[in-house]
Amino acid sequence: MSSEPEDRIRIFDTTLRDGEQAPGCSMTLREKLRVAKALAELNVDIIEAGFPAASPGDFESVKAIADENFGPTICGLARCNAEDIEKVHAAVKGADRHRIHVFVATSAIHREHKLKMAKEEIIKSAVGAVTMARELVDDVEFSPEDASRTELGYLAEVVSAAIEAGATTVNIPDTVGYTVPAEFDRLFRYLKEHVAGIDDITLSVHCHNDLGMAVANSLAAVHAGARQIECTINGIGERAGNCSLEEVVMALRTRAEFFDLHTDIDSKRLYPTSRLVSSITGMHVPRNKAIVGENAFAHEAGIHQHGMLQHASTYEIMRPDDVGISRSNLVLGKHSGRHAFRDRVRELGFELDDFETNRAFQEFKKLADKKKDVFDGDIEAIIMNVDAATAGPWHMKSLSVHTQSDEPAEATVVLIGEDGEESSASATGDGPVHAAFQAIEGITGVPLALKNFELHSTSMGEDAQGEVTVTVVHDGESYRGHGASVDIVEAGSQACLEVTNRLLRRRQRGGPDTSTTIDRATI
Ligand code: KIV
Ligand code: ZN
């Protein structure tokens, strides 16, 4: 019999693999380490840290995450071949708990058009891969890709063969987001009935959101017997994304009386983790997104407000507190001290050590000098950007821009170098951001071409800070940088300087590595 407690759902987070695979969501090694640490604090059971065979950068980041040994099982993805499996093993083995995840497509469409393999060959390949992986580790997951479009009888055959070969988890992906809850429920019940040994392994579900049903389909699967859900923070992932972790976890928790299941997720970490991932990837969470969107707990309609004042449960099925959204109206300002700042940071769900608190507090003081009220969103932006704001070699001293219709914009930048010396440069450009970038290049000598500029307001009001994510190209490779300021041109310039500094530090370290680039091969 399975040792799995029947009512516990394991949360398998694939933000760093399937999520990171989505266009615009690639992360640097440093960013991936930050996300992995946050996922460990959220208490996910398994972190799928990447696909080591995809590129040397992927291998390095999976290895770095495994070597940190944050606590959750660290998993890497492999195709059914020896080289991929060996790479995963080499990358994940540093973690006390590690898993190899092998996959092969099983649907007729994939068999005929992608793999050009017969049914028997696919089974042979799956069995060979699971057997090899089991020789290396005790924890092996097998996924029949495009399972939801695979003939049921054949799917049961493949799954049976993988279990016999030693798979300890079998994951059923709805790779193209095609299924619907009632159909997926049937599929899981069919497998439970027709696959020998299925109760001795962990049955898992992995849904994509092409028809907007990834969460609903995952819930249908657990209702029918799955005990692991694969999901991503904010639902990021290929195309329309994956099952959103925060939504599926809160659905199980809020409707516990229906599902009679639970996860070990610390739900108060949901909002901070969501903010971290959106800030790192530059993929902003829509205002109306369930659980973590800005409006998720806002009640505008008079009749709702009236009900809420009588009793919150009239219109509220979850409390903002439950997911780590603080409802306090406390606003900090320039007279707020270190204690008030530190308490607020904690209430917002961030755990900073003394060194990080000091650096963030300095940035807070600078901001409070520019802006009367400092809101929670501002503090979050400070925390997200504090590394960048304080790491050199160059620091921004001042920036001035001049724009006039029908004229090129002009910018003058003053930077302070490592030796404390000031350098200044002026430049013109197609707009103020372009001109500022040119001026920064004039001082640092690092050319960056702007590919994308995303702006997001961190709070309300006319003195709100703009949080900017830029994607820039240097030597044919893409890099992402972040900045936040009440002046959006300054925020963009900080983001440009952040990338410049990373490139220069890389140069100082003596050469190319993959820790800063966001370009990489995908599956
Ligand atoms: O969507 C999918 O099929 C996958 C597998 C590799 C699990 O991501
Ligand atoms: Zn997927």
Side-chain angles (χ1 to χ4, degrees), residues 309-320:
L309 289 173
Q310 305 297 315
H311 201 284
S313 65
T314 48
Y315 285 101
E316 205 167 65
I317 58 168
M318 298 165 277
R319 286 168 309 176

Side-chain angles (χ1 to χ4, degrees), residues 74-330:
I74 302 300
C75 172
L77 183 68
R79 288 162 296 199
C80 288
N81 67 62
E83 204 186 318
D84 275 29
I85 294 168
E86 273 157 13
K87 280 198 173 132
V88 171
H89 183 233
V92 298
K93 67 181 183 202
D96 287 347
R97 286 184 285 172
H98 48 266
R99 174 180 294 187
I100 299 178
H101 178 188
V102 293
F103 77 101
V104 63
T106 50
S107 66
I109 300 171
H110 281 239
R111 292 195 309 263
E112 280 158 33
H113 302 293
K114 183 174 95 172
L115 299 174
K116 303 193 190 326
M117 280 165 81
K119 283 180 172 174
E120 302 68 36
E121 281 180 277
I122 286 172
I123 294 187
K124 213 168 139 202
S125 152
V127 168
V130 172
T131 307
M132 176 181 171
R134 266 312 293 268
E135 279 160 16
L136 298 169
V137 298
D138 290 336
D139 189 351
V140 173
E141 173 166 330
F142 170 72
S143 289
E145 190 189 4
D146 207 15
S148 55
R149 292 193 301 169
T150 301
E151 306 90 319
L152 276 183
Y154 177 58
L155 182 64
E157 254 183 82
V158 179
V159 169
S160 301
I163 293 175
E164 212 174 308
T168 46
T169 297
V170 170
N171 176 46
I172 303 299
D174 180 27
T175 304
V176 291
Y178 181 73
T179 197
V180 297
E183 181 186 55
F184 218 29
D185 175 283
R186 256 200 336 248
L187 185 154
F188 275 80
R189 288 183 198 280
Y190 179 91
L191 292 179
K192 287 284 248 181
E193 212 174 296
H194 291 86
V195 174
I198 201 155
D199 291 331
D200 301 328
I201 54 108
T202 302
L203 188 55
S204 167
V205 59
H206 176 114
C207 292
H208 282 264
N209 205 30
D210 299 65
L211 292 172
M213 285 185 280
V215 172
N217 288 331
S218 302
L219 291 171
V222 294
H223 193 45
R227 287 294 175 267
Q228 172 179 287
I229 301 176
E230 303 203 349
C231 44
T232 61
I233 299 296
N234 298 335
I236 64 168
E238 296 260 34
R239 309 179 309 276
N242 287 56
C243 171
S244 141
L245 183 149
E246 52 284 349
E247 290 179 24
V248 84
V249 163
M250 288 312 288
L252 287 171
R253 187 184 144 131
T254 308
R255 300 304 314 277
E257 90 299 344
F258 176 78
F259 288 105
D260 207 11
L261 298 166
H262 73 274
T263 72
D264 283 349
I265 292 295
D266 175 359
S267 66
K268 286 188 188 300
R269 306 287 320 161
L270 288 171
Y271 180 70
T273 315
S274 157
R275 284 285 297 136
L276 177 73
V277 170
S278 76
S279 156
I280 284 179
T281 57
M283 290 274 280
H284 290 297
V285 171
R287 274 173 197 271
N288 64 340
K289 163 100 164 60
I291 317 296
V292 289
E294 224 167 278
N295 290 357
F297 294 94
H299 298 269
E300 285 291 331
I303 190 163
H304 286 205
Q305 287 178 348
H306 176 72
M308 287 285 293
L309 289 173
Q310 305 297 315
H311 201 284
S313 65
T314 48
Y315 285 101
E316 205 167 65
I317 58 168
M318 298 165 277
R319 286 168 309 176
D321 256 18
D322 298 339
V323 301
I325 298 177
S326 145
R327 221 183 211 172
S328 136
N329 289 325
L330 197 69

Side-chain angles (χ1 to χ4, degrees), residues 373-395:
D373 294 327
V374 178
F375 296 99
D376 291 348
D378 296 318
I379 296 174
E380 287 165 5
I382 288 173
I383 293 167
M384 302 303 171
N385 295 305
V386 73
D387 281 351
T390 51
W394 292 102
H395 292 92

